[in-house]
C-alpha cells in the first residue's frame, strides 16, 4: 500500500490488538472512575449503552459517507484508496481488517479530549467507554466476518449482509456490526427497482410492463 517502510508497517495490525489494548484501558478507566466517585453505577448503566449507540451511528456514517467518497481529484482518490479502497480490492488481507493504531489512537484521544472539555465526567466517562467498546466490537466483528465461519443464524445473516456489500452492491449494506442501520436508512439489500414508462406510455418496472 505504501512505498515508505514505516507507513507500510503502521498500516498493518493484528486483529487481537484493539481488544488487548483498549479493553483493559477502558475497563481500568471505568473502574477507577467508579472507585474515585467520578461517575456512578447508575450513570454507567445509562451512558455506556448511549456510547455504544453513538458508535453504531458513527460506524454507519463513516463507512457510507467518508470511506465511500472518492472525490474527483487524484488526492481525494488516493485518500479513498488508503482509507477503504484497498480493503475492497483485497478484502481478505487479515493484517488490514482492523483500523491501525496510527488512526485509532489519535482519534480516540481527540474524542476523549473533547468529552473531557465538555465536562460532566459523571456522564462523559462512561459515554466515552461505550464509544470505545462499540469500536472494539465493530473491529472484532469485521475481522470475524471475513475470517471465521459463522455458526449462528445471526452470524450467517451478518456475513451475507457484508459480503453482499463487497461483491454485489458496494453502494448498499453499509452496516458492519449490525444490519438494522441499513434497514432504518433504507440502504440494505439490493437497490430498489426503478419505475418508468415504456414507449406505449404504460408503466414499467425494470424494463418489464407492470
Amino acid at each position: 500500500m505504501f512505498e515508505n517502510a514505516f507507513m507500510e508497517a503502521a498500516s498493518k495490525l493484528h486483529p487481537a490488538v484493539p481488544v488487548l489494548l483498549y479493553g483493559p484501558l477502558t475497563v481500568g478507566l471505568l473502574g477507577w472512575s467508579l472507585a474515585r466517585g467520578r461517575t456512578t453505577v447508575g450513570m454507567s448503566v445509562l451512558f455506556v449503552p448511549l456510547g455504544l449507540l453513538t458508535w453504531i451511528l458513527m460506524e454507519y456514517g463513516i463507512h457510507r459517507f467518508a470511506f465511500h467518497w472518492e472525490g474527483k481529484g487524484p488526492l481525494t482518490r488516493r485518500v479513498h484508496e488508503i482509507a477503504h479502497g484497498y480493503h475492497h480490492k483485497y478484502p481478505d488481507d487479515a493484517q488490514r481488517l482492523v483500523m491501525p493504531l496510527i488512526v485509532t489512537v489519535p482519534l480516540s484521544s481527540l474524542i476523549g479530549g473533547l468529552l473531557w472539555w465538555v465536562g460532566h465526567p459523571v456522564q462523559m466517562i462512561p459515554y466515552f467507554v461505550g464509544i470505545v467498546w462499540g469500536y472494539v466490537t465493530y473491529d472484532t466483528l469485521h475481522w470475524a466476518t471475513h475470517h471465521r465461519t459463522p455458526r449462528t443464524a445471526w452470524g450467517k445473516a451478518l456475513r451475507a449482509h457484508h459480503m453482499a456489500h463487497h461483491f454485489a452492491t458496494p453502494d448498499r449494506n453499509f452496516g458492519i456490526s449490525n444490519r438494522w442501520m441499513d434497514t432504518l436508512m433504507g440502504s440494505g439489500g439490493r437497490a430498489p427497482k426503478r419505475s418508468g414508462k415504456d414507449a406505449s406510455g404504460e408503466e414499467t418496472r425494470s424494463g418489464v410492463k407492470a
Side-chain angles (χ1 to χ4, degrees):
M1 182 185 287
F2 297 99
E3 294 182 4
N4 181 277
F6 171 78
M7 292 299 296
E8 179 68 14
S11 69
K12 300 176 181 180
L13 193 68
H14 190 281
V17 171
V19 177
L20 296 176
L21 176 63
Y22 293 111
L25 284 175
T26 50
V27 169
L29 173 61
L30 188 60
W32 172 83
S33 301
L34 289 168
R36 291 298 185 94
R38 295 296 184 99
T39 190
T40 65
V41 172
M43 286 297 177
S44 298
V45 169
L46 175 61
F47 277 89
V48 167
L50 286 176
L52 290 167
L53 177 60
T54 298
W55 170 260
I56 290 174
L57 299 175
M58 290 173 62
E59 172 195 317
Y60 181 89
I62 291 170
H63 188 194
R64 179 174 183 176
F65 300 110
F67 283 177
H68 279 269
W69 180 75
E70 298 185 32
K72 296 182 179 180
L75 178 60
T76 56
R77 288 174 181 169
R78 176 57 177 161
V79 170
H80 166 75
E81 177 71 15
I82 294 171
H84 200 59
Y86 179 91
H87 175 55
H88 271 264
K89 288 182 179 179
Y90 307 99
D92 292 326
D93 185 343
Q95 293 185 306
R96 290 192 171 102
L97 279 174
V98 299
M99 286 197 278
L101 295 182
I102 198 172
V103 174
T104 62
V105 169
L107 184 59
S108 60
S109 299
L110 175 62
I111 293 172
L114 288 173
L115 292 177
W116 187 261
W117 176 75
V118 168
H120 306 286
V122 173
Q123 294 85 19
M124 292 301 101
I125 290 176
Y127 182 62
F128 173 71
V129 168
I131 292 174
V132 177
W133 285 357
Y135 149 69
V136 172
T137 301
Y138 143 80
D139 248 352
T140 304
L141 282 174
H142 187 210
W143 173 81
T145 296
H146 281 270
H147 281 278
R148 287 290 181 267
T149 300
R151 298 179 180 275
T152 65
W154 174 82
K156 292 175 182 177
L158 190 66
R159 188 175 196 274
H161 183 82
H162 189 56
M163 292 303 106
H165 171 73
H166 270 283
F167 301 110
T169 53
D171 59 338
R172 304 187 70 76
N173 294 2
F174 297 102
I176 297 172
S177 65
N178 66 89
R179 294 180 294 144
W180 65 265
M181 275 296 298
D182 283 299
T183 301
L184 180 65
M185 300 299 290
S187 56
R190 295 189 177 274
K193 297 178 180 178
R194 295 179 180 179
S195 298
K197 292 185 178 180
D198 65 6
S200 65
E202 293 183 66
E203 189 172 343
T204 63
R205 188 171 294 273
S206 298
V208 179
K209 288 185 180 181

